[in-house]
Amino acid sequence: MTNPAADDTDTNWRRSRREIEADIFQAGLAAGLGESRNLPLDTHLHTILSPDTEPDALLDAYCAVAIERGIAELAITDHVDFDPLDQAYSFSTFEERERSVREAAERWAPHGLAVRFGAEITYQRAYEDDIRDWLRKHPHDFVIGSVHSGPTSLFEPDRVAAYVAGKSLADATAPYFEEVTASARSGLFDSIGHMDVVKRWLVPHFMPADFAAEPELYEPVLRAMVESGTAVEINASGLRQLPRETYPNAAVVARYLEMGGRAVTIGSDAHRMGWFAYGLAEAYRLAQGAGIEALTFRRGGDRVWVPLAPGRSQT
Ligand SMILES: [Zn+2]
Ligand SMILES: [Zn+2]
């Protein structure tokens, strides 16, 4: 029998991925993943100034819910792309993004909510010098570097099956992990976003259990993060996507700490209102379970540490 996914037409697989993930999201809601409350920080959020959001991804709506739920501080990290083929290239300007966030910060500060100006930059080695120059001229409070699957990527739904055919997991993931390793080594970013989102792109050809069975695949990227001091982001979006686990999972976070890594952030990576803080409490539980006491963050100056448990003083 042939693998059912392999003879799906590509369009079908793209659509079915969306449908499957909608079901995963609903199941997570039923299991309480939508109920994150009383948490100090969400470091990864997109608004309508990112091209891949829904119209209800409004900054003020996030802020109102954050207050209602007791989430004390948000970093707004809309997409910044350097490759003209990528969706966010010239979608919104630095000035628009900064104005939107700084004005919201002023509006919401009296209500006890801190809103920080961040960005999620798509890292590609080919654009590293451009990103460095641009970041020098365009300061943010907090900057995430992420490797994404652009229109020409091998991991796009319409070509991934052909790409993985006959490849080992190590071979299939090598181009992705090499790029993530370079993003950490660049030293440009406070954290690396969803460091193993390739887990999502490779379903159903390789499953999260296949990744778990080959922890050595993560060693070079974790070493780069430890040596550069770049934070690992525990990204909760994987809980509503095909992997059904955070990017990365608890075992990878544990290995990072064992290797001497100390810097960890947590973000929900919402692109619509319903995804705001989704799975965030679960990501905090993971961090707590790993023995992490404070998250790494930046508010424009030096790195700061934000205690996991709310109400403690921040240093
Ligand atoms: Zn991303
Ligand atoms: Zn994102």
Side-chain angles (χ1 to χ4, degrees), residues 44-46 50 52 77-79 119-121 144 146 148 193-194 233 235 237 240 268-271:
H44 192 150
L45 293 162
H46 297 274
S50 289
D52 52 350
T77 54
D78 280 309
H79 288 293
E120 181 183 18
I121 293 182
I144 302 170
S146 298
H148 290 118
H194 47 67
E233 175 194 75
N235 185 305
S237 71
R240 57 175 166 76
S268 67
D269 206 354
H271 287 69

Side-chain angles (χ1 to χ4, degrees), residues 178-245:
E178 281 165 14
E179 201 79 337
V180 180
T181 301
S183 73
R185 293 244 176 254
S186 77
L188 292 172
F189 307 113
D190 294 300
S191 71
I192 299 302
H194 47 67
M195 62 164 281
D196 61 354
V197 68
V198 68
K199 275 189 308 201
R200 179 194 191 203
W201 304 335
L202 291 182
V203 172
H205 313 289
F206 293 100
M207 300 304 283
D210 299 316
F211 283 75
E214 296 189 49
E216 64 280 5
L217 295 179
Y218 287 83
E219 292 284 307
V221 61
L222 291 178
R223 198 173 311 116
M225 292 172 100
V226 171
E227 288 173 4
S228 63
T230 310
V232 167
E233 175 194 75
I234 303 174
N235 185 305
S237 71
L239 294 166
R240 57 175 166 76
Q241 296 176 342
L242 294 169
R244 301 173 198 236
E245 61 177 30

Side-chain angles (χ1 to χ4, degrees), residues 16-17 33 36 54 56 62 66 70 79-80 113 124 126 145 156 170 204 217 255 259 265 281:
S16 66
R17 179 161 96 173
L33 285 180
S36 304
E54 294 295 318
D56 67 357
Y62 287 161
H79 288 293
V80 176
L113 176 70
Q124 288 160 284
E156 280 294 278
L217 295 179
R255 179 64 188 140
M259 290 169 80
T265 69

Side-chain angles (χ1 to χ4, degrees), residues 49-65:
L49 294 182
S50 289
D52 52 350
T53 52
E54 294 295 318
D56 67 357
L58 299 171
L59 181 43
D60 282 329
Y62 287 161
C63 292
V65 174

